[in-house]
Amino acid sequence: MKNQNGQYDLVVVGSGLAGTVAACQAANLGCSVVLLDASSDPSSGGNTALSGGTLHIAHLRMDEPAETLRRRVTEVAGEFAQRDLVDALVANCARGIEWLIEQGVDIEPPTEEEGGRTVLAPVREFHDVNAWPGRGPQVALQVLQKRVRALGGQVISEARASEVIQRPDGSVAGVVLATGRTIDAAAVLLCDGGFQANPDLRREFIGPAADKLFLRGAPSGIGDGLRMGSSAGGQLINMQWFYGHCLHRGALTSDRLWPQPTVDDLLASSVLVNSEGLRITDEGLGGIAAANAVGRSSDPRGASIVLSEAAWDAALSREGGRRPTANPELERRGGVVHRAESAEDLAAKAGINAAGLQRTLDEFITAAGADKLGALAIPRSGRPAAIGGRLLGIPIVPGITFTVGGLRTDGSARVLNSNEAPIPGLYAAGGTAGGLQGGPRGGYVGGLAVALVFGLLAGESVAASRPAQHAEKP
Ligand SMILES: Cc1cc2nc3c(=O)[nH]c(=O)nc-3n(C[C@H](O)[C@H](O)[C@H](O)COP(=O)(O)OP(=O)(O)OC[C@H]3O[C@@H](n4cnc5c(N)ncnc54)[C@H](O)[C@@H]3O)c2cc1C
């Protein structure tokens, strides 16, 4: 049902978790809502359906005290996390979980493996990339979308939005679909999930060869929201960073090698080198930071990790967890792991420059022995295991899951222009919005939790602004 001005109150572009939560909450609060999705099934178009369904703030439980969460976000994202967004996130994340439950979304009982974090039920296992249908994240979307329909909202599939309609004063008035159809609405929320699936945009914003990254997610995030929002005057922020993991390079040709196992845990005891045998980054910063560093390099498909056989053996993990681990699953799934008695031999097997690798390992071992890893040309943080004895080399590729940069929004999910002023009626959330995550330490604050909280705030903000918008009309 349209409002008294012949418009919908809200049109949402993208029915992942961010868009669906916003549509549901706006409908709960009495708004007329249209939820669009480009895919043929609005519960399975994007990253949400593929995800593991764990809700967390930088890996912590969402019901941790606000101060603990704030400190943790600052630790991982530093100055890349805008204060107003951090405040909004920590103030609303516990409420977000309660809200999901109130809407009828099912969550798993807490487990030790998940450290008590909230997981959407039924749990999605990571042993098979295709094992997502009917699991928690998709079911949550189905439950919430059913509620949108029950409250009189429309959920429309195969509806790809292509443009935001703006009035001469800059305020938004709806969207145009790729078919040419227009939908008039007082507010537009952009939630297309990011631009990770667009190789040209990756090259433009992330690095000169970032088109070579492996897409560790759904093919739907091609940057429509970014393009629509920036054409409408939206400011872009933190564009060069992404959330992802280092994977075995075999993921480029085998679905058995993604989304797990990652090689992230091995990095703590590895040296990460390019095909010249030169180190690329501080391996101690972890897998997300390493994926970003390799992703920005000139040859994202040419990197390898080198570690001692003793460290590999120490990483052998117990079976039965939700996530397959590198040792033993990489080799079981067909991932090649090179083994050699010397750096020279390993270099020949792994396609690395032998002289470069030898020099890098010599420097690394000497610095480690003198406790001076911090003085290396690329300082190494942490206390890595010794490199020596029989060596292993694992070819890797950075997997990009979603881009964390995007349209700068405020704590109510309103899109800001270059003067930091909200563009009237324009909102963004989830993977389309930026300003909360990113930076050289990896900067991963969250995926589902961020989509949930800012989806909720967007829906509430649209509902709260309705009377003012109506009053503006003649
Ligand atoms: C394998 C994997 C595991 C993950 N595990 C976790 C996890 O356990 N915990 C966590 O917090 N995060 C996880 N994530 C990340 C998380 O899934 C995302 O951050 C989150 O789902 C993003 O939600 P979203 O609504 O922004 O985007 P999406 O879920 O990607 O939804 C975007 C939607 O927009 C639609 N769309 C795109 N363009 C248009 C257009 N022009 N018009 C209309 N519709 C359009 C798409 O079809 C899609 O349905 C995981 C991701 C992956 C891939």
Side-chain angles (χ1 to χ4, degrees):
M1 204 181 57
K2 295 184 181 178
N3 64 25
Q4 66 207 43
N5 304 308
Q7 298 176 305
Y8 294 100
D9 291 316
L10 171 65
V11 60
V12 180
V13 176
S15 64
L17 190 66
T20 297
V21 165
C24 187
Q25 183 66 335
N28 278 334
L29 297 172
C31 295
S32 56
V33 170
V34 180
L35 175 58
L36 306 173
D37 204 87
S39 68
S40 56
D41 173 353
S43 73
S44 67
N47 271 350
T48 300
L50 283 187
S51 80
T54 303
L55 289 130
H56 62 86
I57 304 288
H59 299 296
L60 297 184
R61 290 164 53 141
M62 289 169 71
D63 60 357
E64 291 277 4
E67 256 332 290
T68 307
L69 294 174
R70 199 187 303 278
R71 243 195 333 271
R72 175 82 178 132
V73 171
T74 307
E75 230 171 77
V76 302
E79 73 275 18
F80 293 88
Q82 307 289 308
R83 181 175 280 268
D84 54 345
L85 300 183
V86 180
D87 288 347
L89 182 71
V90 302
N92 291 285
C93 57
R95 178 171 78 93
I97 302 288
E98 285 162 20
W99 181 88
L100 279 178
I101 295 167
E102 278 163 23
Q103 307 308 307
V105 171
D106 217 6
I107 60 169
E108 290 284 332
T111 64
E112 205 178 309
E113 184 181 4
E114 288 296 328
R117 297 175 303 179
T118 305
V119 177
L120 300 170
V123 70
R124 188 260 207 258
E125 297 286 343
F126 274 121
H127 293 268
D128 176 356
V129 65
N130 296 313
W132 57 266
R135 311 316 293 174
Q138 187 194 26
V139 173
L141 292 184
Q142 288 167 340
V143 167
L144 297 172
Q145 289 168 10
K146 190 171 169 194
R147 191 157 166 79
V148 172
R149 290 190 189 95
L151 290 163
Q154 295 184 53
V155 182
I156 309 179
S157 55
E158 294 180 347
R160 180 175 172 197
S162 60
E163 204 184 311
V164 172
I165 304 168
Q166 272 179 300
R167 300 188 188 87
D169 68 358
S171 62
V172 314
V175 293
V176 183
L177 303 189
T179 55
R181 177 182 167 192
T182 60
I183 299 183
D184 300 331
V188 173
L189 170 62
L190 301 172
C191 292
D192 71 324
F195 62 93
Q196 56 279 354
N198 185 323
D200 292 337
L201 289 180
R202 292 198 316 236
R203 230 184 3 243
E204 181 178 346
F205 291 112
I206 295 173
D211 52 320
K212 303 285 190 313
L213 295 174
F214 173 74
L215 179 62
R216 182 183 175 270
S220 55
I222 55 173
D224 283 348
L226 187 74
R227 188 180 44 73
M228 292 164 70
S230 57
S231 300
Q235 182 195 144
L236 303 183
I237 187 167
N238 294 355
M239 294 301 288
Q240 79 217 76
W241 311 104
F242 63 90
Y243 165 67
H245 294 280
C246 292
L247 301 169
H248 191 286
R249 204 181 302 149
L252 290 165
T253 51
S254 169
D255 278 352
R256 299 191 69 213
L257 289 166
W258 76 282
Q260 304 275 352
T262 74
V263 302
D264 290 6
D265 288 346
L266 299 176
L267 272 171
S269 39
S270 297
V271 176
L272 171 61
V273 294
N274 60 19
S275 58
E276 294 302 313
L278 306 176
R279 283 179 65 234
I280 301 168
T281 187
D282 176 358
E283 300 86 347
L285 295 178
I288 303 170
N292 274 270
V294 180
R296 216 177 319 291
S297 74
S298 58
D299 184 15
R301 296 187 181 180
S304 299
I305 58 169
V306 174
L307 66 161
S308 65
E309 191 169 55
W312 170 258
D313 291 345
L316 177 67
S317 58
R318 191 174 55 81
E319 309 209 7
R322 249 185 102 191
R323 299 169 183 84
T325 51
N327 185 7
E329 285 292 330
L330 279 186
E331 289 181 289
R332 279 191 189 165
R333 290 163 180 258
V336 173
V337 175
H338 302 289
R339 289 177 170 77
E341 301 300 331
S342 68
E344 190 183 2
D345 192 14
L346 187 72
K349 288 180 173 168
I352 304 171
N353 178 290
L357 180 62
Q358 186 71 64
R359 207 169 34 249
T360 296
L361 293 185
D362 288 347
E363 281 170 10
F364 195 89
I365 291 164
T366 306
D371 204 11
K372 289 201 166 145
L373 284 168
L376 286 170
I378 297 176
R380 170 64 155 97
S381 58
R383 294 200 162 270
I387 304 272
R390 203 157 182 242
L391 295 173
L392 268 67
I394 302 178
I396 65 150
V397 65
I400 181 169
T401 303
F402 68 91
T403 44
V404 299
L407 294 165
R408 166 78 167 105
T409 52
D410 66 10
S412 301
R414 299 182 299 178
V415 175
L416 304 180
N417 65 20
S418 51
N419 299 319
E420 306 287 319
I423 298 169
L426 189 60
Y427 297 78
T432 318
L436 180 63
Q437 322 199 49
R441 276 166 285 172
Y444 178 47
V445 173
L448 296 171
V450 172
L452 166 64
V453 167
F454 289 96
L456 201 53
L457 292 170
E460 290 167 356
S461 182
V462 167
S465 67
R466 267 193 320 159
Q469 282 171 352
H470 292 172
E472 277 166 18
K473 302 281 163 209

